Amino acid sequence: MNQAEDPTPSHNPMHRVLGNFWILIRGRGAAAVMAFAATALMARSLGPAEFGLVVLMHTYVMLIRALLDFGTADAIVRFGMPAHDASDNQTLGKLIKVCRRIDKQASIVAALLAWLVAPFAGPAIGMDPKHVMLLMAYSAILLTPGAGSAAGLLRLNDRFDIGGRQMTIAPTIRFLGVLIAWGLAAPLEIFAAIWGAAYVAENVYLLWQAKHKYRKQINQTLAEGSLKNASLKDFDGLRHFIWVTYWQSNIDLLPKHFTTLLVGHLLGPAEAGLLRLAREIASALSRPALLIRQVVFTDLTRAWNEGSSAFDVVAYRTALLGGALGMVFVALSYFFGEYLLASLLGTQFIAAKGVLTLMLLAATLDLASSPLLSGLYAMGHAMKTLRITMASTAIYLLMFVLLTRQFGLIGAGLAATAGAALTLIGMVMLMRSNKRAA
C-alpha cells in the first residue's frame, strides 16, 4: 500500500508531528537553497536599486493577496476534522464548497484592487511611470485562485508530501529562470515575469492536486448538485472563525510586507532590497514556523477534542525544539554573516549583516510561538490569540517607524525582534492561565 495515500498514524504524538514535519522540511530544505540562490543571483545581476524594485513589486502584490486571505485552510481543518474522522462526506463537501467560493471571490477582488491602487502606491515607494505600468501588469498574477481550501483538504488527509513537493516549484522555476536571464543579461522586466510565473505555478499545482483528491474521496460519493446551496450558515461558528483567522493571518503577514514597502518609502528601493535579502535568509526559520503550525494544528485539534495528554507534549516540546534550532542560525549569522554576504552577494550587500542577525532572532521567536498559536486555536481561544498579536503588532509597527527613522535598517531589525518577543510572551501566559483554569 502506498504510505502517502494511506498514512498510518503513530501512537507517539511527537513521532507523528516530527514525521509530517520532516516530509515538509525535506521539500523546504531544497526549496530554501534554490530560493536563496535565485535571490542572490538576481541581486548580483540587477544591483541593489533594480533588485529592490522587483522586491517592492512582488511585496506589493503579496500585500494585497494577504489583505484578502481568509484563512480557509485552517477553517477546513478546524471544522472538517469531525466530519473527516466520521467519514461524513456530505458535511465535508459542503465545507470545502464554501471555502472554495471564498478563495475564488477573494482572488478576483485582490487582482482588481492591486491594479487600481498601483498608480498611487508605485510613486510612493520610489517607482517611475514605467515601473508603475509594470506593477499594474504584475498584479494579474493575483487572478490565480487562492490555494487555502486546497491546502486545508490536503492537510486534513495528512498529505503533507504534496505540500513538500509544492514548496519546491516556485524556487526551482525562479532559480532556473534567473539563471537563464542572468546569462542573457536580461532587463528588470524579465526577472519580474519569472518571479510572477513561479507564484502562479505553485498555486496551480496545489489546486490540481486538491481537485484530484476531492474527486476521489468526496465527489464520487455525493449526488450531483447536492452541494450547490452550501453556505456559511450550515456551520455554527464558521463565519466567526474565518473572520478571526482573517485578522490573525493579516497580522502575521501584513507587517512583513508593509514594512518592506515602508522601508522603500523611508529609505529607498536599495534599502528595501537589503531588508528583503535579510528576510529571505531568515526564511530558513520563518517558513519552518509556518510549516510547524500546519503540521501540529491537526494533531493538537484531535488531542484537545479527545482530552489527551499529548496536547501539552506536542505544544511545548515543539516550541522548545524550534527555539533551540533557531538560536544556532542566530549565532552563525552573528559570527560569520559578513563573510557570507560578501562571498555570495558582493561587498555592496554587507550592510545587511546587522539586520540579518536581528531578523533571524525574530524568526527564532516566531518559530517558538508557532505551536503555541496552533494550540490556542485548538483550545478555542482564537479571539484571545488575535488580541495578543494585535497588541504586539501595533507596538511593533510603532517601533518600526521610530527606530527605522532613527537607526535605518538596524532599527527595522530591532523592532521585528521586540514584536516577536512580545507575541511569544503573551502566548505562553495565555496558554498557562487557561491550563490552570482547566
Side-chain angles (χ1 to χ4, degrees):
M1 183 179 292
N2 189 334
Q3 189 175 358
E5 286 289 343
D6 186 19
T8 303
S10 171
H11 294 295
N12 186 311
M14 283 304 295
H15 285 175
R16 179 185 175 89
V17 168
L18 292 174
N20 285 333
F21 181 67
W22 176 243
I23 290 171
L24 288 179
I25 205 67
R26 279 183 301 180
R28 175 49 64 193
V33 171
M34 284 187 288
F36 178 71
T39 303
L41 193 55
M42 185 169 74
R44 274 187 173 273
S45 300
L46 297 177
E50 286 200 331
F51 170 72
L53 285 170
V54 177
V55 164
L56 289 172
M57 211 171 295
H58 189 71
T59 302
Y60 166 78
V61 171
M62 290 300 101
L63 175 65
I64 303 296
R65 170 71 270 174
L67 276 170
L68 289 154
D69 180 2
F70 290 92
T72 50
D74 286 339
I76 287 177
V77 173
R78 175 70 175 80
F79 289 85
M81 181 68 72
H84 175 266
D85 289 350
S87 298
D88 182 358
N89 288 338
Q90 181 72 28
T91 300
L92 187 57
K94 283 185 176 182
L95 177 63
I96 293 169
K97 181 77 172 180
V98 170
C99 291
R100 277 180 174 174
R101 190 183 302 138
I102 292 170
D103 285 342
K104 288 178 182 178
Q105 292 172 351
S107 296
I108 294 170
V109 174
L112 183 60
L113 180 64
W115 187 80
L116 290 173
V117 176
F120 307 98
I125 53 177
M127 292 185 178
D128 59 29
K130 174 187 173 183
H131 294 130
V132 169
M133 292 296 293
L134 183 59
L135 180 62
M136 293 174 72
Y138 195 80
S139 300
I141 69 172
L142 292 177
L143 288 171
T144 309
S149 55
L153 174 61
L154 294 171
R155 278 188 235 160
L156 202 59
N157 288 277
D158 278 336
R159 293 307 310 270
F160 291 96
D161 57 317
I162 293 174
R165 289 195 294 271
Q166 184 247 358
M167 289 171 191
T168 66
I169 292 174
T172 301
I173 292 173
R174 284 173 181 157
F175 175 72
L176 295 176
V178 167
L179 189 63
I180 294 169
W182 171 72
L184 297 175
L188 176 149
E189 291 82 0
I190 299 299
F191 287 93
I194 292 166
W195 234 247
Y199 169 81
V200 172
E202 68 176 358
N203 277 279
V204 169
Y205 172 78
L206 201 62
L207 290 164
W208 178 77
Q209 287 285 359
K211 188 174 183 179
H212 172 73
K213 184 67 179 176
Y214 177 82
R215 284 178 174 173
K216 183 177 180 180
Q217 177 186 344
I218 298 171
N219 203 45
Q220 290 180 356
T221 67
L222 300 178
E224 188 174 349
S226 63
L227 307 178
K228 185 177 180 180
N229 297 321
S231 71
L232 286 166
K233 296 177 182 178
D234 295 333
F235 300 91
D236 185 34
L238 177 58
R239 186 186 298 273
H240 175 73
F241 183 84
I242 285 178
W243 187 244
V244 171
T245 54
Y246 166 76
W247 285 108
Q248 182 67 60
S249 64
N250 273 286
I251 289 170
D252 287 343
L253 294 174
L254 285 180
K256 296 179 175 66
H257 298 313
F258 176 70
T259 50
T260 300
L261 296 179
L262 191 56
V263 166
H265 175 68
L266 294 175
L267 305 177
E271 285 74 12
L274 291 177
L275 181 62
R276 175 66 175 81
L277 276 174
R279 281 212 170 106
E280 182 65 45
I281 299 172
S283 69
L285 299 179
S286 59
R287 286 173 183 159
L290 179 60
L291 301 185
I292 287 175
R293 190 183 306 174
Q294 294 171 2
V295 169
V296 301
F297 185 47
T298 306
D299 290 276
L300 288 172
T301 300
R302 184 178 286 115
W304 185 258
N305 290 340
E306 295 173 352
S308 170
S309 60
F311 182 87
D312 285 348
V313 172
V314 171
Y316 289 114
R317 286 190 185 177
T318 309
L320 289 171
L321 285 171
L325 173 66
M327 289 308 298
V328 174
F329 283 82
V330 174
L332 288 173
S333 173
Y334 181 80
F335 291 107
F336 304 107
E338 188 171 322
Y339 171 77
L340 261 166
L341 290 168
S343 300
L344 297 174
L345 302 170
T347 55
Q348 68 268 41
F349 291 98
I350 288 178
K353 189 256 186 181
V355 72
L356 170 61
T357 303
L358 290 168
M359 296 305 292
L360 282 167
L361 181 55
T364 297
L365 297 171
D366 286 340
L367 196 60
S369 298
S370 284
L372 303 184
L373 184 145
S374 293
L376 290 166
Y377 269 32
M379 293 166 70
H381 296 308
M383 181 56 76
K384 292 180 180 179
T385 306
L386 176 61
R387 291 186 187 122
I388 289 172
T389 50
M390 285 179 69
S392 60
T393 300
I395 295 170
Y396 161 56
L397 291 175
L398 177 61
M399 292 180 66
F400 183 91
V401 174
L402 296 174
L403 294 176
T404 302
R405 284 184 180 276
Q406 184 68 29
F407 303 109
L409 280 180
I410 291 294
L414 289 170
T417 302
L422 288 171
T423 301
L424 177 59
I425 292 168
M427 288 186 184
V428 170
M429 291 175 65
L430 180 58
M431 201 102 163
R432 292 184 64 183
S433 65
N434 281 279
K435 180 63 178 176
R436 286 196 298 270

